[in-house]
Amino acid sequence: PLRRKPLRQPPRAPRDAVHIAERPPPSQWLAEAPPSDAIESANAQPLPRTARYVVIGAGMTGAAATHELLTLRHRPPSGRRYHNDVHVCVLEARCVAGGATGRNGGFLAPKSWFEFLSVAATYGVRSAAAIISAEQAGATHMRELADGYNVKYDYNPIRVMQLYERRRGGATVARHDIGIGAYLPAQLLRLAGLHWLKSAEEVRKELSGSGDGEVEAGIGVDAGAAAARRVEGARRFAPATVHRWAEAATFSPAKWVVGVFDGILKRFGADVALHYHTPVLRIEHRPDDFFNVVTPRGTVIAERLLHCTNAWTSQLLPEFEDKIKPVLNHVVATAPLPNLTASHVARTGFALYPGYYYYHQRADRRVILGGFRDLYKSKGVGVWSDEKAVPRAVLGHARQLLVKRVGHDVGAHGVRIERAWSGLIGWSVDGCPWVGEARPNQFVAAGYSGHGMPTAVLAGKYIACAAHHQREPVLPAAFKTSPWRHKTARERTGAPDWLAYEEAAAASGGGKKSSSSSDAPSTS
């Protein structure tokens, strides 16, 4: 097992003392994002005096909401209408995609129907079906929106592999966490796309790309909570099945957002304004029921507000302070490494040490490894700062993890880390995003809990339709804001405080597959 050395607690500040750093160290995605003349030109314009809608946050959610609001512009809602300088004004404290969107691991893994029972165990049967459908629909919306603007964002479908154990003479298989595979005959699983591996040698070849070396849980495997333990020689998993998700993918989220906003500005022109490095300092309610949105560059008068700020939600909506918490996460990008799987087409992303780490190998053979928050006693919860350099202890731990999983032919000095960055996850107290009307004429989509890639676009579209009084897309009831949910969210977790909730969720699997939970640091 890897040795652990506890890291110093990251600084924690009260919510009202938080300063949002406008220029933290760039991530791999932001460094690779192409410049956009349309975005630069829009930012150079004066701040509009009035706007019908102000979208706060220029990430995936904000981009999707902006697109939908402008698409609906020719279907005006009932009620009063005023002339505004622009229809939509987008305000971003950092650069475009400078928040969680541009600082995550770039891994898209919507929930699969094979996870139905594990999701139902947490949220109920009806909600489980809606959540899985919403994540798959959200992934489709994400691709369609990018295609509509001809965005090149390095989209690369991959195969996500899940490990099963054979039992009862091979008649059935069982996942480490609850799954449909535990109750179906192996023959039916084959029809469902599961491949049967009959020997330890086949497991080694499939997961490591060669017949040599150890096979450990986590490399090419999502084996749930019990997979945290190292597996010696693959003996335990010799008779196993491997399920491949067609919907899993890696992509550059910053290229996606920059490309979508570039297309929006070119298509809708004077109807939209976009200003980055323009943080919203406060929101003032006016006597005419409009809002003064105060920024360092001036004030915008708006009729409706859309909050797309994820971890930063409680900065402007204090009622979410105990519903959505910032959680620190570190990510590293390596120089090109040998292929992690036998198939050069199957780029892979998986969880290590149940849910605290995740990684995938890009088409250029660079490995993106994120997580590390279990290195902190606080698990990174309540940390608002992500602008500091990644601790050296985290970089050393990252190399150690990669050497253990890449293979014996790559020594410690052979794993070169090209870039490292930090980001904040918006962690929801009940594990589901908060989407809908938070206050009269103020809408929110946030709290993705490290799993926003499949749902952010759909959530942005939902609040745009709600703000425009149009029919919203189908969204799980578990995602929607309501007074009842505000009152009972923590009660339903059965935990007295935040860390107790997280520990309980980790012990029970939390209804999430470990490959989709990404959170900050831990040294082992």
Side-chain angles (χ1 to χ4, degrees):
L2 300 175
R3 294 183 179 180
R4 293 202 169 199
K5 180 180 179 182
L7 291 180
R8 183 192 307 176
Q9 286 289 100
R12 304 172 75 177
R15 179 186 55 80
D16 56 359
V18 171
H19 168 70
I20 302 177
E22 293 186 17
R23 292 175 173 84
S27 67
Q28 185 79 13
W29 317 120
L30 292 171
E32 294 175 348
S36 166
D37 292 339
I39 291 176
E40 295 294 331
S41 176
N43 189 55
Q45 300 300 314
L47 202 69
R49 188 180 65 87
T50 61
R52 181 167 179 78
Y53 302 99
V54 166
V55 176
I56 306 171
M60 289 183 71
T61 305
T66 302
H67 165 82
E68 196 67 23
L69 288 170
L70 292 165
T71 302
L72 295 171
R73 176 163 172 71
H74 299 293
R75 288 182 278 168
S78 58
R80 56 183 180 164
R81 295 186 66 199
Y82 291 84
H83 174 73
N84 297 294
D85 292 348
V86 294
H87 188 63
V88 180
C89 176
V90 182
L91 302 176
E92 168 59 49
R94 294 176 169 175
C95 64
V96 172
T101 291
R103 309 188 71 79
N104 58 31
F107 186 38
L108 173 68
K111 286 184 171 64
S112 159
W113 287 104
F114 278 86
E115 298 176 87
F116 178 81
L117 292 181
S118 60
V119 180
T122 302
Y123 301 108
V125 173
R126 183 178 299 179
S127 292
I131 289 171
I132 293 171
S133 296
E135 291 204 4
Q136 295 186 355
T140 300
H141 281 307
M142 185 274 294
R143 293 193 301 271
E144 291 176 346
L145 183 54
D147 292 343
Y149 288 106
N150 296 316
V151 178
K152 306 300 182 185
Y153 58 109
D154 301 338
Y155 184 81
N156 184 34
I158 63 173
R159 301 180 301 173
V160 176
M161 294 182 278
Q162 291 181 304
L163 192 61
Y164 294 77
E165 284 184 281
R166 186 173 66 175
R167 64 181 182 184
R168 296 179 188 172
T172 61
V173 296
R175 279 193 61 178
H176 289 289
D177 52 355
I178 302 173
I180 286 181
Y183 306 100
L184 294 179
Q187 290 82 357
L188 289 180
L189 292 172
R190 290 193 192 98
L191 293 176
L194 292 159
H195 177 59
W196 191 259
L197 300 175
K198 298 179 180 179
S199 69
E201 288 302 314
E202 289 188 43
V203 175
R204 289 192 183 95
K205 290 179 181 179
E206 182 73 22
L207 302 186
S208 66
S210 69
D212 302 322
E214 297 175 335
V215 176
E216 301 185 33
I219 182 161
V221 177
D222 171 15
R229 298 189 303 273
R230 183 177 175 185
V231 181
E232 295 290 342
R235 287 189 296 271
R236 181 177 179 184
F237 294 131
T241 59
V242 177
H243 166 54
R244 296 174 175 85
W245 282 323
E247 288 296 329
T250 63
F251 69 99
S252 172
K255 287 184 179 180
W256 188 95
V257 172
V258 169
V260 169
F261 271 120
D262 181 85
I264 286 173
L265 290 167
K266 291 175 178 177
R267 181 178 299 179
F268 295 100
D271 285 343
V272 59
L274 189 156
H275 297 274
Y276 57 86
H277 295 317
T278 309
V280 175
L281 303 178
R282 64 183 181 275
I283 295 170
E284 300 171 346
H285 197 273
R286 295 164 52 93
D288 57 3
D289 288 336
F290 281 29
F291 302 97
N292 288 330
V293 182
V294 183
T295 80
R297 297 174 63 173
T299 298
V300 181
I301 300 173
E303 184 174 345
R304 290 174 185 158
L305 309 179
L306 284 74
H307 297 260
C308 307
T309 53
N310 204 22
W312 307 95
T313 299
S314 63
Q315 295 293 297
L316 297 174
L317 298 173
E319 61 267 33
F320 283 93
E321 184 173 8
D322 64 343
K323 302 299 184 295
I324 299 174
K325 290 283 188 180
V327 175
L328 184 65
N329 187 73
H330 299 307
V331 187
V332 301
T334 73
L337 292 173
N339 287 296
L340 299 186
T341 58
S343 171
H344 292 196
V345 178
R347 307 298 169 185
T348 51
F350 314 99
L352 307 174
Y353 300 130
Y356 288 122
Y357 299 87
Y358 59 91
Y359 71 93
H360 63 83
Q361 189 171 33
R362 302 173 57 185
D364 60 9
R365 295 192 292 113
R366 286 177 169 83
V367 172
I368 307 296
L369 170 65
F372 305 98
R373 69 188 182 95
D374 62 320
L375 301 179
Y376 298 128
K377 290 182 179 179
S378 68
K379 299 297 190 293
V381 176
V383 179
W384 291 96
S385 173
D386 64 352
E387 73 270 19
K388 294 185 178 180
V390 174
R392 294 172 68 180
V394 170
L395 301 181
H397 184 55
R399 291 188 182 93
Q400 197 176 8
L401 283 170
L402 288 166
V403 168
K404 287 285 186 180
R405 280 151 185 82
V406 170
H408 297 291
D409 58 332
V410 179
H413 299 291
V415 178
R416 183 166 62 88
I417 294 177
E418 290 186 333
R419 192 178 296 273
W421 64 94
S422 301
L424 296 181
I425 295 169
W427 207 271
S428 169
V429 70
D430 60 5
C432 288
W434 293 74
V435 185
E437 190 167 16
R439 298 178 180 179
N441 293 325
Q442 295 195 56
F443 301 83
V444 65
Y448 299 115
S449 302
H451 193 58
M453 295 292 212
T455 52
V457 172
L458 185 65
K461 180 176 181 178
Y462 182 94
I463 60 173
C465 291
H468 204 74
H469 298 309
Q470 298 292 329
R471 184 176 179 180
E472 303 95 343
V474 176
L475 198 72
F479 288 9
K480 297 178 182 179
T481 59
S482 68
W484 177 83
R485 186 181 175 195
H486 267 276
K487 181 179 179 181
T488 63
R490 176 155 297 175
E491 297 172 7
R492 287 182 282 121
T493 67
D497 57 49
W498 197 272
L499 288 179
Y501 150 71
E502 184 181 316
E503 290 167 1
S508 65
K512 294 187 175 188
K513 64 179 185 296
S514 48
S515 63
S516 64
S517 338
S518 61
D519 290 271
S522 145
T523 50
S524 34

